[in-house]
Amino acid sequence: MTEASRSVDTSASPETVWRTWSDPSTWPSWNPDIRYVNLDGAFASGTTGTMETNSGGKHKIALKDVVANRGFTLTSDMPMPATKLDFRCAIEPVGSGSRISQGVTVKGLFSFMGGQIGARITPSFGPLLNGLKTHVEGSGTAS
């Protein structure tokens, strides 16, 4: 399995980043790829839901490895059979701010295509992470 990832530094504290990232109702306002996210429960490991992208794709999702102020993994189905994407969303304290990262790992039947799939997906991480950065720094609670 190959993980492809990107990161960006922000002046916002890990707690500020977490408040936004753990509230999927905010995602469409700063993530240019998301139309909506509906969770069937709290933002916690084991919670499932659905997500629609602006390209029109609807995906079943599940949260795992949720650790407040540090990150989570969002698992999403793919149109390919028995194949899932694990999006690892991480927050790391850096000085008085944070480093926010997103990576993707392909799992399942088509995991051998992980490098190719990751190369297609990771360019979208720049706009997503910069949108999150702008949102948390403009929230008035960056520290």
Side-chain angles (χ1 to χ4, degrees), residues 49-108:
T50 56
M51 174 177 68
E52 184 173 347
T53 61
N54 282 322
S55 64
K58 291 184 182 181
H59 306 276
K60 293 179 183 176
I61 59 171
L63 298 175
K64 63 182 184 179
D65 308 322
V66 176
V67 178
N69 303 319
R70 293 294 176 254
F72 62 96
T73 299
L74 183 143
T75 298
S76 175
D77 63 352
M78 285 192 66
M80 298 175 199
T83 305
K84 302 266 185 202
L85 296 175
D86 273 0
F87 291 95
R88 179 68 192 146
C89 305
I91 308 165
E92 176 186 353
V94 175
S96 61
S98 306
R99 177 166 294 131
I100 48 180
S101 304
Q102 182 154 319
V104 63
T105 304
V106 180
K107 293 186 172 184

Coordinates of all heavy atoms in Angstrom, one line a residue, residues 49-108:
G49 N -21.8 7.0 7.3 CA -22.6 8.0 6.7 C -22.5 8.0 5.2 O -22.0 7.0 4.6
T50 N -22.9 9.1 4.6 CA -22.8 9.3 3.1 C -22.2 10.6 2.8 O -22.3 11.6 3.6 CB -24.1 9.2 2.4 OG1 -25.0 10.2 3.0 CG2 -24.7 7.8 2.5
M51 N -21.5 10.7 1.7 CA -20.9 11.9 1.2 C -21.1 12.0 -0.3 O -21.0 11.1 -1.0 CB -19.4 11.9 1.5 CG -18.6 13.0 1.0 SD -16.8 12.9 1.4 CE -16.3 11.4 0.5
E52 N -21.4 13.3 -0.7 CA -21.6 13.5 -2.2 C -20.5 14.5 -2.6 O -20.4 15.6 -1.9 CB -23.0 14.0 -2.5 CG -23.1 14.2 -4.0 CD -24.5 14.5 -4.5 OE1 -25.5 14.4 -3.7 OE2 -24.7 14.9 -5.6
T53 N -19.8 14.2 -3.6 CA -18.8 15.2 -4.1 C -19.4 16.1 -5.2 O -20.5 15.8 -5.7 CB -17.6 14.4 -4.7 OG1 -18.1 13.6 -5.8 CG2 -17.0 13.5 -3.7
N54 N -18.7 17.2 -5.5 CA -19.2 18.1 -6.5 C -19.2 17.5 -7.9 O -19.8 18.0 -8.8 CB -18.5 19.4 -6.4 CG -19.0 20.3 -5.2 OD1 -20.2 20.3 -4.9 ND2 -18.1 20.9 -4.5
S55 N -18.4 16.4 -8.0 CA -18.4 15.8 -9.3 C -19.6 14.9 -9.5 O -19.8 14.2 -10.5 CB -17.2 15.0 -9.5 OG -17.1 13.9 -8.5
G56 N -20.5 14.8 -8.4 CA -21.7 14.0 -8.5 C -21.6 12.6 -7.9 O -22.6 11.9 -7.9
G57 N -20.4 12.2 -7.4 CA -20.3 10.9 -6.8 C -20.9 10.8 -5.4 O -20.7 11.7 -4.6
K58 N -21.6 9.8 -5.2 CA -22.1 9.5 -3.8 C -21.4 8.3 -3.2 O -21.3 7.3 -3.9 CB -23.6 9.3 -3.8 CG -24.4 10.5 -4.2 CD -25.9 10.2 -4.1 CE -26.6 11.5 -4.6 NZ -28.1 11.3 -4.5
H59 N -20.9 8.5 -2.0 CA -20.0 7.5 -1.4 C -20.5 7.1 0.0 O -20.9 8.0 0.8 CB -18.6 8.0 -1.3 CG -18.1 8.4 -2.6 ND1 -17.5 7.6 -3.6 CD2 -18.0 9.7 -3.2 CE1 -17.2 8.2 -4.6 NE2 -17.4 9.5 -4.4
K60 N -20.4 5.8 0.3 CA -20.6 5.4 1.7 C -19.3 5.7 2.4 O -18.2 5.4 1.9 CB -21.0 3.9 1.8 CG -22.3 3.6 1.2 CD -22.6 2.1 1.3 CE -23.9 1.8 0.6 NZ -24.1 0.4 0.6
I61 N -19.4 6.2 3.6 CA -18.2 6.6 4.4 C -18.2 6.0 5.8 O -19.3 5.7 6.3 CB -17.9 8.1 4.4 CG1 -19.1 8.8 5.1 CG2 -17.6 8.6 3.0 CD1 -18.8 10.3 5.4
A62 N -17.1 5.9 6.4 CA -17.0 5.5 7.8 C -15.8 6.2 8.4 O -14.8 6.4 7.8 CB -16.8 4.0 7.9
L63 N -15.9 6.5 9.7 CA -14.9 7.1 10.5 C -14.1 6.1 11.3 O -14.8 5.2 11.9 CB -15.4 8.2 11.4 CG -16.1 9.4 10.7 CD1 -16.7 10.3 11.8 CD2 -15.1 10.2 9.8
K64 N -12.8 6.2 11.4 CA -12.1 5.4 12.3 C -10.8 6.2 12.8 O -10.5 7.2 12.2 CB -11.7 4.1 11.6 CG -10.7 4.2 10.4 CD -10.5 2.8 9.8 CE -9.5 2.9 8.7 NZ -9.2 1.6 8.1
D65 N -10.2 5.6 13.8 CA -9.0 6.2 14.4 C -9.2 7.7 14.8 O -8.3 8.5 14.6 CB -7.8 6.1 13.4 CG -7.6 4.7 12.9 OD1 -7.7 3.8 13.8 OD2 -7.2 4.5 11.8
V66 N -10.4 8.1 15.3 CA -10.7 9.4 15.6 C -10.1 9.8 17.0 O -10.3 9.1 18.0 CB -12.3 9.7 15.7 CG1 -12.6 11.1 16.2 CG2 -12.9 9.4 14.3
V67 N -9.2 10.8 17.0 CA -8.5 11.3 18.2 C -8.7 12.8 18.2 O -8.1 13.5 17.3 CB -7.1 10.8 18.2 CG1 -6.4 11.4 19.5 CG2 -6.9 9.3 18.2
A68 N -9.4 13.3 19.1 CA -9.7 14.8 19.2 C -8.4 15.5 19.1 O -7.4 15.2 19.8 CB -10.4 15.1 20.5
N69 N -8.4 16.6 18.4 CA -7.3 17.5 18.2 C -6.1 16.9 17.5 O -5.0 17.6 17.4 CB -6.8 18.2 19.5 CG -8.0 18.9 20.2 OD1 -8.8 19.5 19.6 ND2 -8.1 18.7 21.5
R70 N -6.2 15.7 17.0 CA -5.0 15.0 16.3 C -5.4 14.5 15.0 O -4.5 14.5 14.1 CB -4.5 13.9 17.2 CG -3.8 14.4 18.5 CD -2.6 15.2 18.2 NE -2.0 15.7 19.4 CZ -2.1 17.0 19.8 NH1 -2.7 17.9 19.0 NH2 -1.5 17.4 20.9
G71 N -6.6 14.0 14.8 CA -6.9 13.5 13.4 C -7.9 12.4 13.4 O -8.5 11.9 14.4
F72 N -8.1 11.9 12.2 CA -9.1 10.8 12.0 C -8.8 10.2 10.6 O -8.1 10.8 9.8 CB -10.5 11.3 12.0 CG -10.9 12.3 11.0 CD1 -11.5 12.0 9.8 CD2 -10.6 13.7 11.2 CE1 -11.8 12.9 8.8 CE2 -10.9 14.6 10.3 CZ -11.5 14.3 9.1
T73 N -9.4 9.0 10.3 CA -9.4 8.4 9.0 C -10.8 8.3 8.5 O -11.7 7.9 9.3 CB -8.7 7.0 9.1 OG1 -7.4 7.2 9.5 CG2 -8.7 6.4 7.7
L74 N -11.1 8.7 7.3 CA -12.3 8.6 6.7 C -12.2 7.5 5.6 O -11.3 7.7 4.7 CB -12.8 9.9 6.0 CG -14.2 9.9 5.4 CD1 -14.9 11.3 5.6 CD2 -14.1 9.6 3.9
T75 N -12.9 6.5 5.7 CA -12.9 5.4 4.7 C -14.1 5.6 3.8 O -15.2 5.8 4.2 CB -13.0 4.0 5.4 OG1 -11.8 3.9 6.2 CG2 -13.0 2.9 4.3
S76 N -13.8 5.5 2.5 CA -14.8 5.8 1.4 C -14.8 4.6 0.4 O -13.7 4.1 0.1 CB -14.5 7.1 0.7 OG -15.4 7.3 -0.3
D77 N -16.0 4.2 0.0 CA -16.1 3.2 -1.1 C -15.6 3.8 -2.4 O -15.5 5.0 -2.5 CB -17.4 2.6 -1.1 CG -18.5 3.6 -1.6 OD1 -18.3 4.8 -1.6 OD2 -19.7 3.1 -1.8
M78 N -15.4 3.0 -3.3 CA -15.0 3.4 -4.7 C -15.9 2.7 -5.7 O -16.5 1.6 -5.4 CB -13.5 3.0 -5.0 CG -12.5 3.9 -4.3 SD -10.9 3.6 -5.0 CE -11.0 4.1 -6.7
P79 N -15.9 3.2 -6.9 CA -16.7 2.5 -7.9 C -16.1 1.1 -8.3 O -16.8 0.3 -8.9 CB -16.7 3.4 -9.1 CG -16.0 4.6 -8.7 CD -15.5 4.4 -7.4
M80 N -14.8 0.9 -8.0 CA -14.2 -0.4 -8.2 C -14.6 -1.4 -7.2 O -14.7 -1.1 -6.0 CB -12.7 -0.2 -8.2 CG -12.1 0.7 -9.2 SD -10.4 0.9 -9.0 CE -10.1 2.4 -9.9
P81 N -14.9 -2.6 -7.5 CA -15.4 -3.6 -6.6 C -14.3 -3.9 -5.5 O -13.1 -4.0 -5.7 CB -15.6 -4.9 -7.4 CG -14.9 -4.7 -8.7 CD -14.7 -3.2 -8.9
A82 N -14.8 -4.1 -4.3 CA -14.0 -4.5 -3.1 C -12.8 -3.6 -2.9 O -11.7 -4.1 -2.5 CB -13.6 -5.9 -3.2
T83 N -13.0 -2.3 -3.2 CA -11.8 -1.4 -3.0 C -12.3 -0.2 -2.2 O -13.4 0.4 -2.4 CB -11.3 -0.9 -4.4 OG1 -11.0 -2.1 -5.2 CG2 -10.1 0.0 -4.3
K84 N -11.5 0.3 -1.3 CA -11.8 1.4 -0.4 C -10.6 2.4 -0.4 O -9.5 2.0 -0.7 CB -12.0 0.9 1.0 CG -13.1 -0.1 1.2 CD -14.4 0.6 1.6 CE -15.4 -0.5 1.9 NZ -16.7 0.0 1.8
L85 N -11.0 3.6 -0.1 CA -10.0 4.7 0.0 C -9.9 5.0 1.5 O -11.0 5.3 2.1 CB -10.3 5.9 -0.8 CG -10.3 5.8 -2.3 CD1 -10.8 7.1 -2.9 CD2 -8.9 5.4 -2.8
D86 N -8.8 5.1 2.1 CA -8.6 5.6 3.5 C -8.0 7.0 3.4 O -6.8 7.1 2.9 CB -7.7 4.7 4.3 CG -8.4 3.6 5.0 OD1 -9.6 3.5 4.8 OD2 -7.7 2.8 5.7
F87 N -8.7 8.0 3.8 CA -8.2 9.3 3.8 C -7.8 9.6 5.2 O -8.6 9.7 6.1 CB -9.3 10.3 3.4 CG -9.6 10.2 1.9 CD1 -10.7 9.5 1.5 CD2 -8.9 10.9 1.0 CE1 -11.0 9.4 0.2 CE2 -9.2 10.8 -0.4 CZ -10.3 10.0 -0.8
R88 N -6.5 9.8 5.5 CA -5.9 10.1 6.8 C -5.8 11.6 6.9 O -5.1 12.2 6.2 CB -4.6 9.4 7.0 CG -4.0 9.7 8.4 CD -4.8 9.0 9.5 NE -4.3 9.6 10.8 CZ -5.1 9.7 11.8 NH1 -6.4 9.4 11.8 NH2 -4.6 10.2 12.9
C89 N -6.5 12.1 7.9 CA -6.5 13.6 8.1 C -5.9 13.8 9.5 O -6.3 13.3 10.5 CB -8.0 14.1 8.2 SG -8.9 13.7 6.7
A90 N -4.7 14.6 9.5 CA -3.9 14.7 10.7 C -3.7 16.1 11.0 O -3.5 17.0 10.1 CB -2.6 13.9 10.5
I91 N -3.5 16.4 12.3 CA -3.2 17.7 12.9 C -2.0 17.5 13.8 O -2.1 16.7 14.7 CB -4.4 18.3 13.7 CG1 -5.7 18.3 12.9 CG2 -4.0 19.7 14.1 CD1 -6.9 18.5 13.7
E92 N -1.0 18.3 13.5 CA 0.3 18.2 14.3 C 0.6 19.6 14.9 O 0.6 20.5 14.1 CB 1.4 17.7 13.5 CG 2.7 17.6 14.1 CD 3.8 17.2 13.1 OE1 3.5 16.9 12.0 OE2 5.0 17.3 13.5
P93 N 0.8 19.7 16.2 CA 1.2 21.0 16.7 C 2.6 21.4 16.1 O 3.5 20.6 16.0 CB 1.4 20.8 18.2 CG 0.7 19.5 18.5 CD 0.7 18.7 17.2
V94 N 2.7 22.6 15.6 CA 3.9 23.2 15.1 C 4.0 24.6 15.6 O 3.3 25.5 15.2 CB 3.9 23.2 13.6 CG1 5.2 23.8 13.0 CG2 3.8 21.8 13.0
G95 N 5.0 24.8 16.5 CA 5.1 26.2 17.1 C 3.8 26.5 17.8 O 3.3 25.8 18.6
S96 N 3.3 27.7 17.5 CA 2.1 28.2 18.1 C 0.9 27.8 17.2 O -0.3 28.2 17.5 CB 2.1 29.7 18.3 OG 2.3 30.4 17.1
G97 N 1.1 27.1 16.1 CA 0.1 26.7 15.2 C 0.0 25.2 15.0 O 0.2 24.5 15.9
S98 N -0.3 24.9 13.7 CA -0.5 23.5 13.4 C 0.0 23.1 12.0 O 0.0 24.0 11.1 CB -2.0 23.1 13.4 OG -2.6 23.5 14.6
R99 N 0.3 21.9 11.8 CA 0.5 21.4 10.4 C -0.7 20.4 10.2 O -1.0 19.5 10.9 CB 1.8 20.6 10.3 CG 1.9 19.9 8.9 CD 3.4 19.4 8.7 NE 4.2 20.6 8.7 CZ 5.4 20.7 9.4 NH1 5.8 19.7 10.1 NH2 6.1 21.8 9.3
I100 N -1.5 20.7 9.1 CA -2.6 19.9 8.7 C -2.3 19.1 7.5 O -1.7 19.6 6.5 CB -3.9 20.7 8.6 CG1 -3.7 22.0 7.7 CG2 -4.5 21.1 9.9 CD1 -4.9 22.8 7.5
S101 N -2.6 17.8 7.5 CA -2.2 16.9 6.4 C -3.4 16.0 6.0 O -4.2 15.7 6.9 CB -1.0 16.0 6.9 OG 0.0 16.7 7.3
Q102 N -3.3 15.7 4.8 CA -4.3 14.7 4.3 C -3.5 13.7 3.4 O -2.8 14.1 2.5 CB -5.5 15.3 3.5 CG -6.4 14.2 3.1 CD -7.8 14.7 2.9 OE1 -8.3 15.5 3.7 NE2 -8.5 14.3 1.9
G103 N -3.8 12.4 3.6 CA -3.2 11.4 2.8 C -4.2 10.4 2.4 O -5.3 10.3 3.0
V104 N -3.9 9.6 1.3 CA -4.9 8.6 0.9 C -4.1 7.3 0.6 O -3.0 7.3 0.2 CB -5.6 9.1 -0.4 CG1 -4.6 9.3 -1.6 CG2 -6.7 8.1 -0.8
T105 N -4.8 6.2 1.1 CA -4.3 4.9 0.8 C -5.4 4.1 0.2 O -6.5 4.1 0.6 CB -3.9 4.2 2.2 OG1 -2.9 5.0 2.8 CG2 -3.3 2.9 2.0
V106 N -5.0 3.3 -0.8 CA -6.0 2.5 -1.5 C -5.9 1.1 -0.9 O -4.8 0.5 -0.8 CB -5.7 2.4 -3.0 CG1 -6.8 1.5 -3.7 CG2 -5.7 3.8 -3.6
K107 N -7.1 0.5 -0.5 CA -7.1 -0.8 0.1 C -8.1 -1.7 -0.7 O -9.1 -1.2 -1.2 CB -7.5 -0.7 1.6 CG -6.5 0.0 2.4 CD -6.9 -0.1 3.9 CE -5.8 0.5 4.7 NZ -6.1 0.3 6.1
G108 N -7.8 -3.0 -0.7 CA -8.7 -3.9 -1.3 C -8.2 -4.5 -2.6 O -7.0 -4.5 -2.9

